[in-house]
Amino acid sequence: MLKIKYIHIENQEADIVCSQLVRKKYVDGVLTNDMDLLAYDCNKVFRNLNFKEDTLTEYRTNLILSKLNLTRQQCIDIIIILGCDYCDKVYRKLEEFLFNSGFRII
């Protein structure tokens, strides 16, 4: 109807496709409110687009890893622990387990 070009790859998650487009330099980055893209090695993620204030937040995975002195795998592990679209928040399960076992997280 609007004749807008788009990419659709059957049986593929959009995050994976978008991150591949960034890695192959077909696009500069991905605009999303979903931080799961960092786990898919998407080097540039744009969030918080505000047309009124003409602002947006840019996340660069390579800079994040460098500043935090993390490997890619450590970053992925942290993302999973903090929770993502595909799993329940692991730390909540751990917190619940520890609480039920008599431990307290401070």
Side-chain angles (χ1 to χ4, degrees):
M1 184 170 148
L2 296 175
K3 299 189 186 213
I4 297 172
K5 292 183 181 181
Y6 66 92
I7 296 172
H8 173 75
I9 301 174
E10 195 170 325
N11 299 322
Q12 285 290 321
E13 171 67 33
D15 293 348
I16 296 169
V17 174
C18 290
S19 63
Q20 288 174 351
L21 291 171
V22 173
R23 284 196 313 275
K24 292 182 179 185
K25 300 189 185 311
Y26 291 121
V27 298
D28 293 325
V30 178
L31 177 63
T32 182
N33 281 327
D34 190 350
M35 293 304 286
D36 291 349
L37 283 154
L38 296 177
Y40 288 112
D41 199 18
C42 183
N43 192 43
K44 263 195 212 174
V45 177
F46 303 111
R47 293 187 70 193
N48 307 317
L49 178 62
N50 185 324
F51 287 109
K52 215 176 218 184
E53 297 179 19
D54 197 28
T55 59
L56 106 114
T57 306
E58 177 181 343
Y59 295 89
R60 292 185 184 219
T61 309
N62 58 347
L63 293 177
I64 293 169
L65 296 176
S66 174
K67 288 197 182 263
L68 296 175
N69 196 26
L70 294 172
T71 65
R72 172 131 342 262
Q73 187 57 54
Q74 288 170 323
C75 181
I76 291 169
D77 291 345
I78 290 169
I79 290 168
I80 290 169
I81 289 169
L82 294 177
C84 63
D85 290 348
Y86 309 105
C87 66
D88 197 6
K89 293 183 178 3
V90 175
Y91 75 89
R92 294 231 189 272
K93 299 280 187 196
L94 177 61
E95 185 178 48
E96 181 181 314
F97 169 76
L98 292 173
F99 181 80
N100 291 334
S101 300
F103 293 94
R104 298 293 179 262
I105 298 175
I106 299 173

